[in-house]
């Protein structure tokens, strides 16, 4: 009796792929997070240096990669709102639509990834026009100095190490901020790009934890 096609195919373990828009800040933090909490899991992969600098382009790269990979792989893209002048709402909505259509998750910060850092210290719902205004007007630089980070720069490689003990607070504050933003959103403008401030980066890390837990369960069988 002939064997069924693919009967002897060895199943490939799924991968968790994270595509980052930022060249320094996001990948540095996320890789440090993985090394600290999931060092044993080699299936968590940060894809950086994609040469793409808009949400639409980044999602398109993830979509192309997904179509070429194993169906069980999980895909996330990480990007910021930035200023309206840099990325229009139309661009963000296009990126969101394409991501949803192709089963790709988005970890989003409005106005920038630095808002996620700010939430490590306290809850806030103050809005900022851009990253520069957040750094000038918020308490972030002062709070970073208190934990030993002076003259904050996006390329600072040790920020996760200085903030890791505050991550549970960041999760709580980010979830509260997300719920507040959605509850007060103008009708028809519930998409994250319209909500300032808004952060759901914590959902990436929660999904990462679930993925790692599922892999451990498979190994244990």
């Amino acid at each position: 009796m002939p064997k069924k096609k693919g009967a002897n195919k060895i199943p490939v373990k799924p991968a968790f792929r994270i595509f980052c828009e930022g060249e320094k800040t996001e990948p540095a933090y996320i890789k440090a997070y993985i090394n600290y909490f999931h060092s044993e899991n080699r299936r968590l992969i940060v894809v950086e240096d994609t040469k793409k600098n808009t949400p639409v382009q980044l999602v398109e790269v993830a979509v192309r990669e997904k179509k070429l990979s194993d169906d069980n792989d999980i895909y996330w893209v990480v990007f910021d709102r930035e200023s309206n002048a840099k990325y229009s709402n139309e661009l963000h909505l296009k990126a969101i639509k394409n991501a949803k259509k192709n089963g790709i998750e988005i970890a989003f910060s409005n106005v920038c990834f630095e808002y996620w850092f700010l939430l490590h210290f306290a809850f806030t719902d103050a809005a900022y026009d851009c990253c520069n205004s957040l750094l000038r007007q918020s308490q972030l630089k002062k709070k970073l100095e208190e934990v030993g980070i002076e003259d904050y720069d996006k390329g600072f490689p040790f920020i996760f190490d200085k903030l890791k003990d505050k991550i549970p607070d960041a999760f709580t504050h980010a979830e509260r901020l997300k719920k507040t933003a959605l509850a007060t959103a103008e009708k028809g403008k519930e998409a994250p790009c319209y909500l300032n401030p808004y952060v759901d980066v914590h959902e990436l890390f929660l999904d990462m934890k679930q993925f790692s837990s599922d892999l451990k369960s498979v190994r244990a069988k």
Side-chain angles (χ1 to χ4, degrees):
M1 181 176 177
K3 294 181 180 180
K4 293 183 180 180
K5 185 177 180 180
N8 293 327
K9 185 178 180 181
I10 300 174
V12 178
K13 293 179 182 178
F16 191 108
R17 305 182 189 276
I18 308 151
F19 290 73
C20 294
E21 172 194 33
E23 294 181 359
K24 297 178 180 179
T25 311
E26 291 92 331
Y29 182 97
I30 294 170
K31 286 192 292 186
Y33 185 101
I34 292 171
N35 289 336
Y36 186 77
F37 288 107
H38 306 289
S39 60
E40 78 291 348
N41 189 346
R42 301 303 179 186
R43 307 300 295 170
L44 295 168
I45 303 166
V46 177
V47 182
E48 51 187 318
D49 195 26
T50 63
K51 307 300 183 184
K52 305 301 180 182
N53 59 6
T54 73
V56 170
Q57 292 174 332
L58 191 65
V59 170
E60 287 174 345
V61 170
V63 169
R64 286 198 297 270
E65 290 288 331
K66 184 175 182 182
K67 288 179 178 178
L68 296 172
S69 72
D70 185 83
D71 291 339
N72 293 323
D73 286 357
I74 295 172
Y75 283 76
W76 280 81
V77 293
V78 183
F79 55 80
D80 304 338
R81 176 64 183 85
E82 297 289 355
S83 65
N84 291 333
K86 185 173 182 180
Y87 299 154
S88 67
N89 288 326
E90 287 72 24
L91 266 178
H92 278 283
L93 293 173
K94 182 178 180 181
I96 292 170
K97 182 178 180 180
N98 194 22
K100 287 184 176 180
K101 177 183 176 181
N102 289 280
I104 292 172
E105 302 292 338
I106 296 174
F108 185 74
S109 306
N110 192 351
V111 66
C112 57
F113 195 75
E114 280 76 5
Y115 212 107
W116 167 245
F117 296 161
L118 189 59
L119 293 173
H120 285 64
F121 298 99
F123 175 78
T124 177
D125 58 2
Y128 302 96
D129 295 332
C130 61
C131 186
N132 285 338
S133 68
L134 182 148
L135 293 175
R136 288 194 309 267
Q137 300 168 21
S138 76
Q139 292 289 307
L140 181 59
K141 279 193 170 183
K142 178 182 177 182
K143 294 298 183 180
L144 290 176
E145 288 175 358
E146 291 175 359
V147 296
I149 301 174
E150 297 186 8
D151 300 321
Y152 170 75
D153 180 82
K154 282 182 172 292
F156 193 89
F158 307 115
I159 192 163
F160 171 83
D161 187 60
K162 299 295 185 179
L163 299 183
K164 63 180 183 291
D165 293 339
K166 301 178 183 298
I167 286 176
D169 290 335
F171 273 55
T172 300
H173 297 151
E175 184 62 26
R176 179 183 169 188
L177 178 63
K178 177 184 174 182
K179 289 180 179 179
T180 300
L182 291 173
T184 58
E186 181 181 343
K187 187 175 181 180
K189 292 187 176 181
E190 296 88 357
C193 59
Y194 291 116
L195 309 179
N196 186 359
Y198 179 93
V199 173
D200 59 18
V201 174
H202 61 297
E203 295 181 349
L204 164 66
F205 299 121
L206 289 173
D207 200 28
M208 193 183 293
K209 180 179 180 181
Q210 184 61 53
F211 175 81
S212 295
S213 177
D214 290 344
L215 276 187
K216 287 180 180 179
S217 297
V218 171
R219 294 192 190 109
K221 291 181 180 179

